[in-house]
Amino acid sequence: MRLMFAAAAALTLLAGCKAAEEKSAPVIAEVAEAPPAWTIIAPGGDTLCATGTPYSFHVRGGDASRLMIFLNGGGACWSGDLCDPSLGANAYTPFAEMDSNNPAKMGGVFDAANPENPFTGWTQVFVSYCTGDAHLGATDAAYTTSAGKALTIHHRGKANVQSALDWVYANYPAPSRVFVGGGSAGAIASPFYAGVVADHYPQAEIVQYGGGAGGYRAGAVSGLLETWGTFTNMPDWPELAAIDRATFTTEDFFRVTAARHPAMRMHQFNNVDDEVQQMFLALMGVSDPVRGLMQANLDELAADIPNFRTYSAASKDHTLLRYDRLYTTETGGVRAVDWVRGLAEGRDVASVSCAAEGCD
């Protein structure tokens, strides 16, 4: 009997010790790794914002083989009343340090914490925009407001973008895939800069994307490009020289790059009733609904460029990648985020349109 009690006591003691060990064992919680922070680069040199303030862009480090270059949007201007920030026309973003040029305050593809982000782990270069010239200008223009005020606007878009590209070239010498995208004004310039980047990285797969600029079917476009000095300091491309500057359109940047780099996959996203594009068309003297103008442009580009694909969604929204609607937009059973993921992965995606659903 004593032996039984002793054995039971020993078992109880051992169990208590084991329980104590289990209670006192440290619990190691898994902590999610924080995404890399954005770094602000101030390149100096010939770069400037519209009114003479300094220019800067943003970089978030990641996989050196996968590189995303995003040309930000922010309107445009071509007259004293539109270009003078003090008049409050709000036609464009005039300063690099504004929140609208800060990717850390944006969602969409810049939200590194979203598990559905197609660009998770990529190196991202956010090219700020503050020159009112769709990233294409190369002149200092003299304007006069309707009240007689004279002002000089530094349309230095080309120098600003080139400063970002020079930084990229110096720090990322051999990426295997480069996504050159843009929203709004940046979408206009995206096919041109996709060609520039493809010239520099012949070993890489270059994917082009433009969001929210497919409807600018207006005779005034060629004049605006001249006003901004777009054709100054351009690369010596025979494909570019072959197009008449007097009738040049924003769609011609697609044609030029496609002729130079025929294997490149090129893409546009648009909302068919985009109210921002409608507003800028009105400023250019065009009152036709943007929906029809946009479709005419897209049809012509699809006929001219075999590797051109589009996603046309319903609504009056403007652009996609900077916003969380990237993850909620769906058209014809295809989620926009999955379509963009296909671009990021280098796949040949199908064109998507809300036309079958009525686009209402």
Side-chain angles (χ1 to χ4, degrees):
M1 182 70 68
R2 289 178 182 173
L3 288 173
M4 292 177 62
F5 279 124
L11 288 172
T12 301
L13 181 61
L14 287 171
C17 290
K18 186 174 182 182
E21 287 176 1
E22 289 177 349
K23 281 185 179 180
S24 62
V27 177
I28 301 174
E30 290 188 9
V31 179
E33 185 177 349
W38 288 95
T39 299
I40 298 175
I41 308 293
D46 292 333
T47 66
L48 275 180
C49 288
T51 63
T53 57
Y55 177 73
S56 59
F57 60 92
H58 302 250
V59 176
R60 180 160 62 189
D63 184 348
S65 71
R66 296 178 298 164
L67 180 62
M68 178 190 190
I69 300 171
F70 182 82
L71 304 166
N72 195 27
C77 77
W78 54 87
S79 70
D81 288 353
L82 291 177
C83 290
D84 187 348
S86 69
L87 295 181
N90 297 320
Y92 76 114
T93 300
F95 309 113
E97 67 272 15
M98 297 177 75
D99 283 353
S100 55
N101 270 321
N102 185 353
K105 296 181 179 293
M106 297 179 184
V109 298
F110 302 112
D111 179 4
N114 192 314
E116 287 201 284
N117 190 335
F119 298 96
T120 296
W122 286 52
T123 293
Q124 292 181 305
V125 179
F126 183 94
V127 183
S128 305
Y129 174 57
C130 58
T131 50
D133 56 14
H135 293 279
L136 295 166
T139 191
D140 294 338
Y143 295 108
T144 304
T145 70
S146 56
K149 176 184 175 182
L151 73 159
T152 298
I153 294 295
H154 304 283
H155 292 305
R156 301 283 185 91
K158 200 179 286 102
N160 292 352
V161 175
Q162 192 60 53
S163 73
L165 294 182
D166 288 344
W167 186 93
V168 168
Y169 299 158
N171 288 275
Y172 295 88
S176 58
R177 179 172 298 145
V178 185
F179 179 96
V180 181
S184 193
I188 292 173
S190 64
F192 167 67
Y193 286 110
V196 171
V197 171
D199 277 3
H200 186 83
Y201 290 130
Q203 85 290 347
E205 178 184 10
I206 311 298
V207 178
Q208 179 275 336
Y209 165 93
Y216 295 126
R217 196 176 180 90
V221 167
S222 60
L224 300 188
L225 295 175
E226 293 286 358
T227 296
W228 296 330
T230 298
F231 300 102
T232 300
N233 298 332
M234 277 295 214
D236 186 18
W237 292 352
E239 298 86 357
L240 187 60
I243 298 181
D244 186 355
R245 285 167 48 173
T247 58
F248 204 97
T249 69
T250 53
E251 285 67 44
D252 283 329
F253 288 117
F254 282 91
R255 296 183 178 95
V256 166
T257 291
R260 187 167 183 82
H261 298 283
M264 184 186 298
R265 300 192 191 283
M266 310 190 81
H267 311 84
Q268 273 201 40
F269 172 91
N270 289 281
N271 293 100
V272 296
D273 297 312
D274 187 325
E275 59 186 359
V276 173
Q277 291 191 63
Q278 193 72 66
M279 178 193 74
F280 276 103
L281 282 166
L283 291 173
M284 289 186 278
V286 177
S287 59
D288 295 353
V290 66
R291 183 187 294 201
L293 301 174
M294 182 184 297
Q295 192 58 55
N297 282 341
L298 298 182
D299 287 345
E300 290 176 2
L301 285 175
D304 292 342
I305 304 172
N307 289 328
F308 180 68
R309 304 287 184 268
T310 60
Y311 190 119
S312 298
S315 94
K316 297 180 180 180
D317 288 336
H318 182 59
T319 81
L320 181 72
L321 296 190
R322 296 173 293 183
Y323 304 102
D324 285 338
R325 57 177 170 263
L326 166 67
Y327 304 105
T328 58
T329 298
E330 183 172 330
T331 302
V334 179
R335 298 175 68 218
V337 64
D338 293 331
W339 191 79
V340 173
R341 190 184 318 283
L343 274 58
E345 294 174 353
R347 290 188 274 115
D348 182 9
V349 299
S351 289
V352 177
S353 175
C354 61
E357 305 163 352
C359 294
D360 296 322

